């Protein structure tokens, strides 16, 4: 008897383009969000976009409130929950990079209220995903949360953001190659639930981005457009899967471990990009596709070495040998690779 069932939760309005931030009140009305907006943001995105958004809501008589978060932690989520309760917020608006958006997304899910995602950087594919990513002690949780009901991605704001944030987003997309390889492996070896549609979408997204790599340049709204479209597509792949599997494999475990070993040194996307070179090598060997991954990252101006990331060779080796400990997610790393194997992979690929 056929007993399968699944829910695919997706955003309703994805509004991307020039000056679309000015349409925020209209977008919110269109998805029938009501009550006081609580704007969740971090210091720079507050100045770049949230202050203007608040003024817009005020003008429209929405009586908005703002809370500023610094880190993607469960205590930040608690801070937002308290602010929402105090303000009796009707819906949440996350304005910023991946951390502010993740916190707002998880808090809105907990409160059972609507959530609007306003990325100020094309730096990560959590913009529309139904996941939150939170470190806690030795581990890192991939938390299920409702995806945003609406996304407002202003290409002017994204193109004006520091260029390295955009190259980080590109690398986060390129990591789909190894994430999907790990997912297929886990399905074959561990019977992990797998969706060919989601995997195909994640891979195609990476492929399209790499094909346009030569035309992705700093300061161009067309480039911000291409990258944010890819980030949306990758987030949709996660929503179809009901997990971050299509966009997060061993290369992400490597990055999450680096966040513990060398905190604050490099952006999430840049770390996963270097992780993708290493993990592609582990999957396909010396003559495998890791050179294509490295060349794509290089074309996009994203880091390809430990030096580029500002970390030491030892930190790379430590992160790679301990990556499998981050969470119970089967990947090419299995139950861990030896220090010799990690040094070999990192040396052969010129990461160290
Ligand atoms: N939930 C999900 O599915 C996913 C979550 N993530 C999470 O997202 C985070 C990484 O996102 P990032 O955006 O790289 O980190 P982030 O949120 O820390 O932002 C990086 C920096 O860019 C600044 N920034 C943002 N917009 C700016 C602008 N317009 N101008 C100047 N500065 C600006 C921020 O203030 C911050 O200092 C990680 O915690 C990662 O785990 C990443 C991918 C997917
Ligand atoms: O960063 C992600 C996808 O790009 C997802 O993060 P997790 O590895 O925490 O699921
Ligand atoms: Zn990522």
């Amino acid at each position: 008897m056929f007993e399968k069932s699944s829910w695919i939760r997706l955003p309703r309005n994805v509004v991307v383009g020039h000056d679309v931030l000015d349409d925020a009140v209209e977008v919110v009305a269109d998805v029938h969000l009501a009550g006081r907006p609580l704007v969740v943001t971090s210091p720079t995105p507050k100045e770049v976009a949230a202050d203007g958004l608040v003024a817009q809501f005020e003008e429209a008589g929405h009586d908005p409130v703002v809370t500023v978060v610094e880190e993607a932690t469960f205590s930040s989520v608690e801070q937002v929950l308290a602010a929402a309760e105090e303000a009796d917020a009707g819906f949440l608006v996350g304005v910023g990079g991946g951390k502010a958006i993740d916190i707002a997304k998880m808090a809105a899910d907990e409160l059972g209220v609507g959530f609007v995602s306003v990325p100020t950087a094309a730096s990560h594919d959590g913009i529309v995903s139904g996941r939150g990513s939170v470190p806690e002690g030795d581990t890192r949780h991939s938390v299920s949360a409702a995806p945003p009901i609406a996304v407002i991605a202003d290409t002017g704001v994204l193109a004006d953001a520091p260029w390295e944030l955009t190259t980080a987003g590109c690398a986060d997309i390129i990591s789909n190659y190894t994430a999907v390889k790990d997912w297929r492996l886990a399905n074959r070896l561990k019977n992990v639930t797998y969706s060919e549609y989601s995997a195909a979408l994640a891979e195609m997204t990476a492929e399209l981005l790499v094909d346009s790599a030569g035309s992705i340049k700093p300061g161009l709204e067309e480039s911000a457009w291409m990258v944010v479209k890819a980030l949306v597509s990758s987030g949709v792949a996660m929503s179809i899967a009901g997990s971050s599997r299509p966009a997060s494999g061993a290369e992400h475990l490597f990055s999450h471990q680096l966040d513990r070993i060398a905190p604050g040194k490099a952006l999430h996307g840049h770390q996963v990009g270097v992780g993708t070179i290493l993990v592609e090598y582990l999957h396909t060997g010396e003559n495998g596709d890791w050179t294509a991954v490295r060349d794509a990252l290089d074309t996009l101006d994203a880091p390809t070495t430990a030096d580029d990331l500002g970390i030491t060779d030892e930190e790379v080796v430590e992160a790679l040998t301990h990556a499998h400990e981050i969470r119970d997610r089967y990947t090419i790393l299995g139950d861990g690779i030896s220090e010799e194997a990690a040094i070999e992979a990192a040396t052969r690929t010129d990461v160290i």
Side-chain angles (χ1 to χ4, degrees), residues 17-79:
H18 181 71
D19 280 350
V20 293
L21 206 49
D22 296 345
D23 303 333
V25 171
E26 191 189 334
V27 173
V28 162
D30 191 67
V31 290
H32 306 297
L33 290 174
R36 267 184 115 175
L38 171 63
V39 176
V40 180
T41 189
S42 61
T44 310
K46 181 174 182 297
E47 282 173 34
V48 169
D51 286 343
L53 199 64
V54 166
Q56 232 187 96
F57 280 128
E58 266 164 3
E59 208 170 301
H62 280 286
D63 194 18
V65 267
V66 184
T67 186
V68 177
V69 292
E70 305 274 355
E71 279 306 320
T73 58
F74 286 117
S75 71
S76 298
V77 177
E78 291 300 324
Q79 175 196 321

Side-chain angles (χ1 to χ4, degrees), residues 77-131:
V77 177
E78 291 300 324
Q79 175 196 321
V80 176
L81 292 176
E85 202 161 301
E86 194 186 326
D88 193 22
F91 62 97
L92 267 52
V93 186
V95 183
K99 290 178 184 167
I101 287 177
D102 270 359
I103 293 161
K105 190 190 293 175
M106 288 184 283
D109 192 72
E110 178 88 21
L111 293 162
V113 300
F115 162 59
V116 180
S117 166
V118 182
T120 56
S123 51
H124 64 100
D125 59 6
I127 291 171
V128 309
S129 76
R131 316 296 307 172

Side-chain angles (χ1 to χ4, degrees), residues 125 172 247 252 268 272:
D125 59 6
D172 207 17
H252 269 69
H268 166 85
V272 304

Side-chain angles (χ1 to χ4, degrees), residues 98-304:
K99 290 178 184 167
I101 287 177
D102 270 359
I103 293 161
K105 190 190 293 175
M106 288 184 283
D109 192 72
E110 178 88 21
L111 293 162
V113 300
F115 162 59
V116 180
S117 166
V118 182
T120 56
S123 51
H124 64 100
D125 59 6
I127 291 171
V128 309
S129 76
R131 316 296 307 172
S133 182
V134 192
E136 189 182 41
D138 292 346
T139 185
R140 183 158 191 126
H141 304 278
S142 173
V143 183
S144 173
I149 190 156
V151 181
I152 306 171
D154 191 314
T155 47
V157 173
L158 302 177
D160 280 350
W163 171 234
E164 63 266 23
L165 291 170
T166 309
T167 66
C170 294
D172 207 17
I173 295 296
I174 287 174
S175 77
N176 291 2
Y177 283 128
T178 45
V180 169
K181 281 186 175 156
D182 279 328
W183 196 14
R184 292 204 174 105
L185 189 72
N187 173 252
R188 284 198 298 273
L189 299 186
K190 301 286 176 185
N191 209 25
V192 163
T193 305
Y194 173 75
S195 158
E196 189 57 43
Y197 284 98
S198 167
L201 178 59
E203 279 180 327
M204 183 194 73
T205 303
E207 204 66 56
L208 290 175
L209 186 90
V210 169
D211 286 350
S212 357
S215 49
I216 296 175
K217 302 272 185 242
L220 296 181
E221 277 198 62
E222 288 87 344
S223 298
W225 172 275
M226 277 191 256
V227 179
V228 79
K229 287 281 182 174
L231 295 168
V232 167
S233 177
S234 195
V236 168
M238 286 191 252
S239 291
I240 294 173
S243 87
S244 60
R245 270 285 190 181
S248 171
E251 74 301 317
H252 269 69
L253 301 182
F254 167 77
S255 167
H256 298 336
Q257 196 57 271
L258 269 183
D259 284 340
R260 298 184 56 244
I261 295 166
K265 293 269 176 69
L267 289 164
H268 166 85
H270 289 165
Q271 293 177 174
V272 304
V274 171
T276 306
I277 300 174
L278 294 167
V279 175
E280 188 65 60
Y281 174 90
L282 295 174
H283 270 287
T284 56
E286 197 172 354
N287 300 316
D289 293 339
W290 65 269
T291 48
V293 169
R294 189 190 55 188
D295 293 349
L297 290 169
D298 204 32
T299 307
L300 287 159
D301 228 4
T304 58

